[in-house]
Amino acid sequence: MVPANITDSIPGGVPLSMDFKSPQDYVIFIFHVLFATVTVLIAGSVVITILATSALRLQNRFIFMLNTSICDTLVGVSVYYLGLFDVREVYPSRNGTYNILPSLLGVNIVTFLFAQFDRYFAVCHPFIYGRFATREFVIGINIYCWVYNWVHLMVRNLLPSSKALQMYVISILLMQLIVVTNVAMTIKLYVVARVQVAREPPSAEKESKKESLRIIIFVVITFLVLWCPAFVNIIIRFIGAGGLTFRNEATHLFAIMARFNSVCTPSVYIWGSPALREAMVKTVWGRVCPRCKRRVGSIHGKGDTKNTWK
């Protein structure tokens, strides 16, 4: 068996992903150009907005949004290579990046899990949450998501092929465990949103909690829907029962679906958070289209970016 941590490449440079012998080749190529551009614009706008707005940076939920949006922006940039050139990351690897670019999606998976626990403790145990979930602690958790992912990837690439294969199997099993935990936490958060938050008297804090719960639930559901086909295909291929294979990353339907999270996740953030939308108009869209800034400013004159709930 060819070592899983070895990448073969074609001498003379990396060819394009499509040979342009049929109309569908042009459609796929143009799709990846548009997909990468839209992802960078949407996710990048969220990153710039949160970094430029101190009222958002003070809230823990926006720290998690910032972390996933940075990852989504990098995923969009990676599509310019994975989608436009003849790249194959899975076995047998061809012109790959030692799984560095695909592993960006793994950062989001771990971040979603911690974000779910963050919202659960914020709603169910607010006193404990307010005492221990400091801004520095949340930032440290998000940094850990990156460190864990990259250390795991580096070790896999440095180990002998047999050990790397064993570590890959363990990572797949851990990924399934994380997915199951995500599902359980989503159900738990839904129950919390209906019972715990409904008991609180009307207030800005209550609306903020409902908003953050709604966002994280929609994000995780979208993630599960788009990732499940890839997980199922990996399991089928792993047990040797078949599964689908693709010529390269540009035609890998399941990988495309998984990367589509990078568009859906920041879009849900923008849709579900009026504070983020208003700040984005002021810091990003308003600079491109001043008329939009004046229009939104007249509609949201009172705004909600001053909400300091964590």
Side-chain angles (χ1 to χ4, degrees):
M1 176 181 294
V2 178
N5 53 348
I6 296 298
T7 300
D8 297 329
S9 58
I10 298 177
V14 182
L16 295 176
S17 58
M18 299 290 113
D19 52 18
F20 301 102
K21 292 183 179 180
S22 63
Q24 68 182 18
D25 291 344
Y26 290 92
V27 173
I28 294 175
F29 193 84
I30 293 173
F31 165 78
H32 284 293
V33 173
L34 295 177
F35 174 76
T37 304
V38 170
T39 302
V40 171
L41 290 177
I42 295 179
S45 297
V46 175
V47 172
I48 295 173
T49 299
I50 297 176
L51 289 176
T53 309
S54 59
L56 300 183
R57 296 197 308 271
L58 293 175
Q59 303 182 49
N60 290 347
R61 59 193 177 114
F62 286 106
I63 298 299
F64 286 105
M65 291 185 189
L66 175 62
N67 195 45
T68 58
S69 296
I70 291 174
C71 186
D72 291 335
T73 304
L74 294 176
V75 170
V77 174
S78 73
V79 174
Y80 285 115
Y81 179 70
L82 296 177
L84 302 185
F85 294 93
D86 186 32
V87 180
R88 183 184 174 93
E89 291 285 2
V90 296
Y91 175 81
S93 177
R94 182 175 67 250
N95 301 315
T97 62
Y98 296 94
N99 285 306
I100 293 175
L101 296 182
S103 67
L104 291 170
L105 296 171
V107 178
N108 272 354
I109 296 175
V110 181
T111 304
F112 290 153
L113 180 63
F114 282 116
Q116 285 180 307
F117 281 110
D118 176 82
R119 292 301 89 198
Y120 173 76
F121 283 105
V123 175
C124 294
H125 307 283
F127 297 106
I128 298 177
Y129 180 83
R131 182 178 179 182
F132 294 101
T134 62
R135 183 167 176 267
E136 292 74 16
F137 177 79
V138 173
I139 293 176
I141 288 293
N142 283 273
I143 294 176
Y144 167 79
C145 294
W146 287 88
V147 173
Y148 167 80
N149 195 72
W150 288 107
V151 169
H152 180 273
L153 180 63
M154 182 179 64
V155 172
R156 273 181 51 194
N157 286 327
L158 293 177
L159 285 175
S161 58
S162 59
K163 297 295 183 181
L165 183 59
Q166 293 177 4
M167 195 169 184
Y168 174 75
V169 172
I170 295 175
S171 67
I172 293 297
L173 295 176
L174 288 176
M175 194 70 68
Q176 305 306 315
L177 179 61
I178 292 175
V179 170
V180 172
T181 305
N182 277 329
V183 173
M185 286 300 300
T186 300
I187 297 174
K188 181 67 175 181
L189 285 172
Y190 176 76
V191 174
V192 167
R194 295 194 59 182
V195 179
Q196 188 75 13
V197 179
R199 295 176 179 176
E200 299 182 8
S203 64
E205 182 177 344
K206 177 179 179 179
E207 293 303 316
S208 183
K209 289 182 179 180
K210 291 172 62 177
E211 173 191 311
S212 60
L213 286 170
R214 181 171 63 248
I215 290 175
I216 191 62
I217 289 174
F218 271 96
V219 164
V220 174
I221 290 176
T222 303
F223 157 76
L224 292 173
V225 170
L226 294 175
W227 267 90
C228 275
F231 283 141
V232 172
N233 191 60
I234 290 174
I235 294 173
I236 293 176
R237 292 190 62 191
F238 178 72
I239 63 179
L244 299 178
T245 57
F246 301 89
R247 183 177 64 183
N248 50 35
E249 294 295 318
T251 58
H252 198 311
L253 177 61
F254 299 141
I256 293 173
M257 291 179 63
R259 286 194 289 266
F260 203 72
N261 275 287
S262 300
V263 175
C264 295
T265 299
S267 298
V268 171
Y269 293 160
I270 297 171
W271 163 78
S273 176
L276 179 62
R277 276 201 309 274
E278 184 180 351
M280 184 174 293
V281 170
K282 293 180 179 178
T283 58
V284 181
W285 297 343
R287 297 181 182 273
V288 179
C289 180
R291 181 179 301 178
C292 296
K293 183 176 181 179
R294 291 193 297 267
R295 181 179 302 174
V296 174
S298 62
I299 296 176
H300 301 283
K302 297 182 179 181
D304 64 348
T305 57
K306 295 183 179 180
N307 189 346
T308 58
W309 177 72
K310 291 184 178 182

